[in-house]
Amino acid sequence: MKKIIFYNPYIEQWYGKNVFNFVTRRHNVYKYWYILENIIKKYHSNVYIYLDLKENSFYRTFFKSPFICKIFALFEFLFWCVLNKVNFFKLNIIFNIDGVESEDALVAFAFKNIKDDFKMVQFTKAKCKKFFFLNHYHIYTSKISDNLKKVGVYRFLAESDLAKNSEYFKHYFQWYKNSVLILPYVYNKRFMLLNDFNMRENLCLATGSLFYFKRTEDIIDCIDFYNTDTLHPMRKEIYEKQDELKDVIFSRISDLTSEIQSKEVLGKSIIKDFFAKIYNLFYVKQKEYYKFDMVNEYNKYKMFIVPEEITGLPAIGFVEGMACGAAFIGLSSPIYKDMGLIENFHYISYDGSLKDLVKKIRYFQLHNDELQRIAKNGYEFVINNFNGEKIAQQFLNYLNNE
């Protein structure tokens, strides 16, 4: 029987609670929680967990010894099982991939996993079909592209067909000749419709994190390609002009850059270095964005925008807000059409400029009946199509049949 193998799921924050975020009291980003809940925790006979025991969610912050890393990784995996209510005894676990066959499928994240030499060795020698998620692919793009080419990727996974919709992807991944398999974002079950549409404020809510680039090695590809200082130009424009826009947009966009400034130690001091690491672990993290209840925010306004990444990926917030019954405003782009959304039926489209965005908001502030119809259509589409059980089953069926 064909094996479906998930690589080191315990180190990622995307599937569920990981130990690093639990210990340091960080918020988890449950973008792919539905894979954990509806595939891994269903304990299918052909679904496997591959543990190489060479990595942990702390990414070797304190552990340099390979032996200590291996012991720590094993205990961390067991703790991860407890945190996420995974029955360890029902899992199929493998510790090497020498025995995988050509029709087996290996699923992993490119982000943070494809830069290290030891991972390159094991991924390259695996003779199975390799599937890689491309979230955060703007980081170390050229290096990741070169390494993935050597690894031999069968199919990329993302929330958009980047091979068609992103000039950035086309430039750096010219060797990749397949389409990118679209896995739409799924709303977490806590996002739900709570307030009647007519009781909401007649404004557009803007959400998302804003990160200003520094000219560092990891981001240089994206900076030079777009000549930009941020991954989300529209978020930046709204954030910096929020006072001027207050009659049309209420901004909850937070400046992530100012919140995650790590302490640096100049000179060689083991003690200072140790305490700097402790400080960075427990105190350097995103806080502002989590000070308010996002479910209540989406239920408070009639429409919302979560500006997309410049690299061609949407934000998870567009699904979450629609699941709360607000009308989504997004780019006029194949990104949404490819997922089945129809412009000005399921969501409001605009051309990517602030001028057109404001124009659309003002129009719908005066045409609430039309706005409500779009909100209702979008809500029904998301509830019926972007729920965890459905998307997980589609993904599992694809992996089994491909």
Side-chain angles (χ1 to χ4, degrees):
M1 180 181 290
K2 179 177 184 177
K3 294 185 181 72
I4 298 173
I5 306 162
F6 290 90
Y7 172 72
N8 279 355
Y10 70 97
I11 70 174
E12 308 291 351
Q13 64 171 326
W14 318 108
Y15 290 129
K17 301 174 183 176
N18 75 359
V19 177
F20 175 78
N21 286 350
F22 176 80
V23 171
T24 60
R25 301 179 68 183
R26 281 172 163 79
H27 289 268
N28 290 279
V29 184
Y30 299 104
K31 288 186 176 179
Y32 305 108
W33 64 270
Y34 62 93
I35 291 177
L36 174 64
E37 293 297 324
N38 297 290
I39 297 181
I40 296 176
K41 288 174 68 173
K42 294 299 182 183
Y43 311 109
H44 299 280
S45 61
N46 69 323
V47 173
Y48 288 74
I49 300 296
Y50 169 37
L51 305 178
D52 62 13
L53 299 182
K54 295 178 180 179
E55 194 60 277
N56 55 71
S57 62
F58 290 79
Y59 294 101
R60 299 191 175 190
T61 303
F62 294 111
F63 309 103
K64 305 298 182 183
S65 164
F67 176 75
I68 295 176
C69 273
K70 184 174 292 189
I71 299 300
F72 184 84
L74 183 59
F75 278 100
E76 182 180 357
F77 171 68
L78 295 174
F79 191 13
W80 176 82
C81 289
V82 173
L83 283 177
N84 292 283
K85 300 179 180 179
V86 176
N87 189 331
F88 169 81
F89 297 101
K90 289 185 177 181
L91 291 174
N92 299 311
I93 301 174
I94 58 176
F95 295 97
N96 65 69
I97 48 178
D98 294 339
V100 299
E101 300 179 357
S102 59
E103 292 304 307
D104 294 336
L106 175 66
V107 181
F109 288 87
F111 179 59
K112 291 186 178 180
N113 281 331
I114 208 65
K115 297 192 287 82
D116 299 322
D117 291 339
F118 76 85
K119 292 183 182 180
M120 279 292 297
V121 171
Q122 60 190 10
F123 284 136
T124 302
K125 73 178 182 180
K127 303 304 180 184
C128 58
K129 294 178 179 178
K130 301 154 196 174
F131 299 81
F132 282 89
F133 283 98
L134 281 175
N135 52 324
H136 292 336
Y137 82 104
H138 66 282
I139 300 175
Y140 289 112
T141 306
S142 56
K143 183 175 183 178
I144 285 178
S145 175
D146 290 342
N147 286 348
L148 286 170
K149 182 179 180 180
K150 296 172 186 175
V151 163
V153 175
Y154 182 78
R155 197 84 182 267
F156 283 129
L157 311 170
E159 291 72 35
S160 167
D161 184 356
L162 298 168
K164 181 181 71 172
N165 300 330
S166 173
E167 295 303 317
Y168 184 70
F169 179 89
K170 293 176 187 177
H171 176 77
Y172 283 104
F173 292 83
Q174 295 179 27
W175 54 269
Y176 182 75
K177 303 304 180 184
N178 207 344
S179 61
V180 174
L181 180 66
I182 300 173
L183 282 181
Y185 281 126
V186 165
Y187 63 92
N188 193 292
K189 293 180 181 179
R190 72 186 182 94
F191 290 92
M192 61 182 70
L193 196 160
L194 300 174
N195 292 343
D196 182 86
F197 188 84
N198 293 315
M199 300 298 292
R200 303 179 183 215
E201 294 188 35
N202 197 21
L203 291 171
C204 177
L205 172 69
T207 70
S209 300
L210 174 62
F211 186 79
Y212 290 95
F213 289 156
K214 292 182 178 179
R215 196 170 180 79
T216 53
E217 180 188 3
D218 55 339
I219 309 292
I220 195 68
D221 294 327
C222 191
I223 292 174
D224 286 347
F225 186 85
Y226 287 109
N227 190 27
T228 183
D229 63 351
T230 180
L231 186 63
H232 304 94
M234 181 52 65
R235 294 186 193 181
K236 175 186 174 183
E237 196 165 3
I238 293 172
Y239 178 79
E240 294 180 350
K241 296 180 179 179
Q242 56 187 299
D243 290 337
E244 302 172 31
L245 300 168
K246 60 185 178 181
D247 61 329
V248 288
I249 297 175
F250 179 77
S251 176
R252 281 293 194 184
I253 295 172
S254 61
D255 180 5
L256 179 59
T257 313
S258 63
E259 294 188 77
I260 58 172
Q261 295 296 325
S262 299
K263 277 189 176 296
E264 297 182 7
V265 179
L266 300 176
K268 294 182 179 180
S269 172
I270 297 176
I271 296 176
K272 288 183 179 180
D273 182 62
F274 175 79
F275 281 105
K277 285 183 177 180
I278 293 294
Y279 178 86
N280 293 337
L281 277 175
F282 289 93
Y283 296 101
V284 178
K285 55 188 173 183
Q286 187 173 17
K287 305 182 188 77
E288 194 64 33
Y289 189 74
Y290 297 104
K291 286 183 177 179
F292 50 89
D293 186 333
M294 187 55 73
V295 177
N296 288 335
E297 292 296 305
Y298 283 134
N299 274 276
K300 189 176 178 181
Y301 298 92
K302 292 183 177 180
M303 50 188 142
F304 74 100
I305 184 171
V306 193
E308 300 82 359
E309 292 185 10
I310 199 172
T311 56
L313 290 173
I316 190 172
F318 97 85
V319 173
E320 296 169 342
M322 292 173 79
C324 293
F328 171 58
I329 304 177
L331 290 174
S332 175
S333 167
I335 291 175
Y336 301 110
K337 182 179 180 180
D338 291 345
M339 287 187 271
L341 294 167
I342 301 172
E343 291 185 23
N344 302 317
F345 181 80
H346 294 119
Y347 80 105
I348 301 162
S349 64
Y350 80 112
D351 67 8
S353 69
L354 183 61
K355 180 180 178 181
D356 192 49
L357 173 61
V358 171
K359 178 182 177 182
K360 294 294 174 64
I361 295 171
R362 292 195 189 282
Y363 173 84
F364 283 104
Q365 283 179 321
L366 299 174
H367 298 82
N368 268 202
D369 289 344
E370 188 177 348
L371 180 64
Q372 185 173 9
R373 284 196 297 271
I374 293 174
K376 182 176 182 293
N377 293 336
Y379 168 78
E380 291 176 350
F381 185 89
V382 164
I383 295 300
N384 292 325
N385 294 284
F386 295 162
N387 62 76
E389 293 83 359
K390 185 170 185 175
I391 298 301
Q393 190 59 53
Q394 290 174 351
F395 184 40
L396 185 61
N397 290 343
Y398 172 81
L399 294 174
N400 275 320
N401 296 322
E402 185 65 15

